[in-house]
Amino acid sequence: MSKSKMQRIELGTFYDVDLYCPFCGQRVVSNGADGSEPGWTPCPHTVFTASDEGFDYRSNEFNAFFGLSDDDDVDVEELGFDHIDAMTDAFEAVDGVKFAQYVPAPGGLGGYVGFAPKYDE
Ligand SMILES: [Zn+2]
């Protein structure tokens, strides 16, 4: 079991679909189309949820990888990355998967969610 960069899945047309964790099936990204509150609801496999504007959630594993603590505000450029997309690309996990949702121009915003499987402790 060696860690490597997360496998990327990009959504550029269906950027606003709900996303479900591939490992437990929980809906983690909701667009609110069914009347629920739009937003992110991390499951135990969620490593991060973020947009280009910042992080909404970071797991302990993610924080540890970058030497961050829970309540740190992340300055992506200070950590040596051009943007959050590149920073989340750099995270390494065993069999991790990252979904990138790119809202086309003029919105132009990206949404990022990472998952990694783990066995129950
Ligand atoms: Zn899950």
Side-chain angles (χ1 to χ4, degrees):
M1 286 210 317
S2 65
K3 293 184 177 180
S4 58
K5 290 193 174 159
M6 305 185 88
Q7 301 174 67
R8 277 177 62 92
I9 295 170
E10 294 185 19
L11 302 174
T13 298
F14 293 94
Y15 58 85
D16 60 349
V17 296
D18 288 354
L19 292 180
Y20 296 77
C21 171
F23 305 114
C24 74
Q26 179 184 312
R27 180 167 62 181
V28 172
V29 180
S30 173
N31 64 23
D34 64 354
S36 63
E37 188 72 20
W40 294 294
T41 309
C43 73
H45 312 101
T46 306
V47 180
F48 56 80
T49 61
S51 73
D52 285 324
E53 294 175 334
F55 285 95
D56 186 69
Y57 170 79
R58 303 191 308 266
S59 71
N60 292 335
E61 292 85 353
F62 188 85
N63 282 332
F65 184 85
F66 290 104
L68 301 166
S69 67
D70 253 359
D71 43 8
D72 277 344
D73 272 336
V74 175
D75 185 330
V76 173
E77 290 180 9
E78 203 169 274
L79 290 166
F81 299 101
D82 289 341
H83 39 66
I84 280 188
D85 198 5
M87 178 179 171
T88 51
D89 273 352
F91 177 71
E92 296 185 357
V94 177
D95 294 340
V97 181
K98 170 182 168 178
F99 289 84
Q101 298 176 294
Y102 296 113
V103 181
L109 200 64
Y112 314 104
V113 183
F115 300 102
K118 58 177 149 189
Y119 295 111
D120 291 336
E121 284 140 315

